[in-house]
Amino acid sequence: MVKATILVVDDEPAVRDMLADALRMQGYKIEVAGDGQAALRDMQEMHFDLVISDVNMPKVNGFELLERMRAAGNETPVILLTAR
């Protein structure tokens, strides 16, 4: 049984894949995006229950992603991650 659909956004494939794999093992449906711009496109096409995003990314960083989501009325919960 799928618990929820989560969008994992990170420009580092190893980090993105590790997080996605760990969440899949817990029963979550996972989609991935390599940056905030791709994530915004994905959110236009499907519903997510949670977004987990890196902060430092090219094109659209995690803070910009959150700002654009909220400006568009998207209230999906967001967890921002950073190694800094």
Side-chain angles (χ1 to χ4, degrees), residues 63-77:
F63 293 122
E64 291 174 286
L65 172 61
L66 179 57
E67 288 174 9
R68 291 186 188 186
M69 287 174 63
R70 295 303 183 251
N74 185 334
E75 294 295 323
T76 303

Side-chain angles (χ1 to χ4, degrees), residues 4 7-8 12 39-40 42-43 50 55 63-65 67 84:
L7 177 61
V8 176
E12 293 185 39
L40 289 167
D42 291 346
M43 283 184 252
L50 176 67
V55 170
F63 293 122
E64 291 174 286
L65 172 61
E67 288 174 9
R84 295 183 184 201

Side-chain angles (χ1 to χ4, degrees), residues 43-62:
M43 283 184 252
Q44 291 177 348
E45 296 176 10
M46 69 185 294
H47 167 79
F48 297 99
D49 299 298
L50 176 67
V51 175
I52 300 175
S53 177
D54 186 20
V55 170
N56 298 309
M57 296 181 292
K59 298 180 185 174
V60 176
N61 69 41

Side-chain angles (χ1 to χ4, degrees), residues 25-41:
M25 289 174 51
Q26 295 301 313
Y28 295 100
K29 180 177 182 200
I30 303 300
E31 297 291 330
V32 296
D35 59 59
Q37 190 173 19
L40 289 167
R41 281 193 305 268

Side-chain angles (χ1 to χ4, degrees), residues 2-37:
V2 174
K3 294 179 182 178
T5 302
I6 300 173
L7 177 61
V8 176
V9 188
D10 199 308
D11 61 319
E12 293 185 39
V15 173
R16 184 178 60 233
D17 294 344
M18 178 199 60
L19 183 54
D21 289 345
L23 291 166
R24 276 189 197 102
M25 289 174 51
Q26 295 301 313
Y28 295 100
K29 180 177 182 200
I30 303 300
E31 297 291 330
V32 296
D35 59 59
Q37 190 173 19

